[in-house]
Amino acid sequence: MPAQHRGSQLHGLAGFNAASPAEAETVLLSCCHSRRWAERVAAHRPYPTVDALLAAAEEAGYDLSRADLDEALAAESSALPHPDAPPAARTALRAAHAAYESSFGHAFVISLDGVRPGERLDQVLAGIRSRLGNEPEEERVIATDELRRLSRARLAFRLAEGLTPRHSGP
């Protein structure tokens, strides 16, 4: 068995390229829960470089239909604050998430790639507050863009950690 692909544990780009379609789609679905997106990205393997894979994943994100986007957003959950966050911050975040979900019908999505851990809570709260005033269609465009960035960051993280299909990391 190749060193890059042992059982269900995939390693890097070579492992992703060598995986069965079902294994590749499982990993991809942990990054963006749109079946059509995962099938499309998996179907275009092998990718010559990580950058080519990430570009293909991003491009596939531009082609999400309304139903694909609804499917992906339905699988997202609200980000929890760090356990050491003050109780008032946790309360404010819960209230902001509830207001957002009530307004738009799905969890608030934001890519925090490149944001320092100590600034993430403030970034999420500021993002929710600024986006709550959006019209539904305007917010859908923004949420789609954020989901695309988030999916790309998750996929890059999976490649770096060995592609274990779970919702952790970015």
Side-chain angles (χ1 to χ4, degrees):
M1 182 173 292
Q4 295 291 328
H5 185 198
R6 291 188 186 100
S8 63
Q9 180 68 30
L10 306 176
H11 296 280
L13 181 63
F16 179 76
N17 283 336
S20 72
E23 286 176 311
E25 288 172 21
T26 297
V27 168
L28 291 164
L29 286 168
S30 74
C31 300
C32 176
H33 200 81
S34 163
R35 180 137 319 268
R36 183 171 166 254
W37 177 85
E39 289 170 352
R40 180 174 174 197
V41 175
H44 286 89
R45 294 173 304 141
Y47 291 96
T49 64
V50 169
D51 286 342
L53 169 58
L54 296 176
E58 187 169 347
E59 181 182 324
Y62 283 103
D63 293 335
L64 294 177
S65 69
R66 188 171 199 84
D68 297 329
L69 182 58
D70 288 344
E71 176 187 29
L73 288 172
E76 293 294 323
S77 58
S78 300
L80 300 174
H82 190 277
D84 294 337
R90 289 195 301 270
T91 300
L93 187 60
R94 276 194 305 273
H97 278 300
Y100 181 91
E101 290 174 21
S102 175
S103 292
F104 299 109
H106 58 80
F108 177 75
V109 291
I110 187 170
S111 174
L112 297 173
D113 197 30
V115 177
R116 293 190 313 226
E119 298 173 356
R120 290 181 177 186
L121 177 61
D122 290 338
Q123 188 77 22
V124 171
L125 282 169
I128 292 173
R129 288 181 184 130
S130 72
R131 289 168 52 187
L132 270 172
N134 292 342
E135 293 297 320
E137 283 308 309
E138 177 186 13
E139 181 55 26
R140 190 170 191 78
V141 170
I142 294 169
T144 302
D145 191 44
E146 290 294 329
L147 182 63
R148 196 171 30 257
R149 280 192 230 138
L150 186 56
S151 299
R152 181 185 169 104
R154 286 173 177 163
L155 183 53
F157 184 77
R158 299 290 178 274
L159 288 167
E161 74 166 356
L163 292 169
T164 52
R166 62 181 189 268
H167 260 330
S168 66

